[in-house]
Amino acid sequence: MAEPPIRVPSGHAQAHGRRANRRSYHDGAQVNGYVDDPYHRIRRAVAARLMVDGVIGTGPVLELGCGPRSMLDPAELPGPLVVADMAETALGHARRAAHGRALPICLDATRGLPFRAGAFAGLLTGELIEHVYDPVALLRECHRVLAPGGLLVLTTPNLATVQDRLAFLAGRAPRQVDPLHPYLWLHIRPFTASLLRRVLRRAGFTPLAIRSNQVGWLLPGGRWVTSRLLARIAPGLGGSLICAARRGSGPPSPSVVGPRNSP
């Protein structure tokens, strides 16, 4: 006879994740430690270019989970830039890095977004969705605050990199699900390119493009061999998934997955 399912209150799980993320990212030091690394510099540049080239109109653009430095240059946007993060210290750094040309908002994206419907022409979020207990609820909120035709650009680590695919065949777990990794243990919702498209469609978006920063291979001595060309040819094999999607005019599909983020 099958055992009854063990039910863990979603609020408890989300609250635990919220505390863990706040401890790691409250001052922006960890993010500042890697944004200048070529891997993340390329990822951020590709995401910013997708937003700058694809946003329509002169409405404001929101960067959700901006950390201590926005990916966007306010001078390249047709409208104002709003930067949001749950860490006040990191948010202060982001405002100074933008030379006061971005409006900072302190918020917790897992509790809903404190903006009116249709408030933004574009929404950019980098390396956030994998930290969230209910990513569909987060994307539905992104859908709500974007105007019809608004552009969503997000980045997230790829669960199915070329090296991880081969490692999985040999019985080794992908890096993104390693509970012993110093910071990847906070990634509770890893994505492949196909899963990301499915989740975006469920939340009411039309995926436009999937990009990647680089396809990499870690050599036994610890050195990475990388290729930007392979990332352009086969982004689903790359280290980071960078996706642009357009908000449709209709409502999202009825939810059949999990409770909302807020406890």
Side-chain angles (χ1 to χ4, degrees):
M1 184 170 60
E3 296 182 1
I6 299 173
R7 299 189 180 275
V8 178
S10 62
H12 293 176
Q14 183 65 28
H16 176 75
R18 186 180 298 119
R19 289 192 297 270
N21 281 295
R22 193 182 297 275
R23 283 195 301 270
S24 292
Y25 301 112
H26 71 282
D27 60 357
Q30 182 161 294
V31 177
N32 261 337
Y34 70 69
V35 293
D36 288 327
D37 179 90
Y39 177 93
H40 290 286
R41 189 169 64 244
I42 295 169
R43 169 184 65 81
R44 290 163 63 89
V46 172
R49 182 48 50 192
L50 283 172
M51 177 57 68
V52 170
D53 291 347
V55 68
I56 298 172
T58 59
V61 171
L62 171 65
E63 183 173 350
L64 192 59
C66 63
R69 275 189 278 174
S70 172
M71 287 185 271
L72 295 165
D73 180 352
E76 292 190 319
L77 296 173
L81 173 62
V82 179
V83 291
D85 202 281
M86 71 173 181
E88 293 185 20
T89 302
L91 195 58
H93 292 320
R95 183 180 184 278
R96 288 189 289 274
H99 306 290
R101 294 177 296 168
L103 174 65
I105 303 290
C106 188
L107 57 80
D108 182 347
T110 67
R111 297 184 184 273
L113 302 179
F115 306 109
R116 63 175 175 80
F120 296 99
L123 194 156
L124 172 64
T125 180
E127 312 300 271
L128 174 65
I129 193 171
E130 69 272 10
H131 292 266
V132 173
Y133 181 78
D134 187 348
V136 176
L138 172 62
L139 290 175
R140 286 171 182 270
E141 274 294 278
C142 294
H143 183 280
R144 183 184 65 81
V145 303
L146 279 170
L151 182 68
L152 173 69
V153 175
L154 66 84
T155 81
T156 188
N158 183 14
L159 178 66
T161 66
V162 62
Q163 193 166 31
D164 281 327
R165 292 184 190 216
L166 294 176
F168 192 75
L169 290 175
R172 297 194 298 274
R175 292 175 70 248
Q176 296 302 324
V177 294
D178 183 356
L180 304 178
H181 193 280
Y183 63 86
L184 293 181
W185 70 277
L186 291 168
H187 294 185
I188 61 175
R189 289 291 183 266
F191 287 88
T192 63
S194 60
L195 178 59
L196 187 57
R197 291 189 189 97
R198 285 174 52 208
V199 171
L200 284 164
R201 291 190 182 99
R202 175 61 56 83
F205 289 95
T206 300
L208 302 176
I210 292 279
R211 302 281 187 267
S212 188
N213 50 352
Q214 61 188 33
V215 172
W217 190 276
L218 182 62
L219 298 176
R223 187 170 68 90
W224 279 95
V225 177
T226 62
S227 171
R228 290 281 294 120
L229 176 61
L230 283 177
R232 287 191 287 269
I233 296 172
L237 299 178
S240 185
L241 301 173
I242 307 158
C243 183
R246 191 75 68 186
R247 182 207 189 276
S249 57
S253 302
S255 178
V256 296
V257 291
R260 290 185 57 83
N261 280 320
S262 56

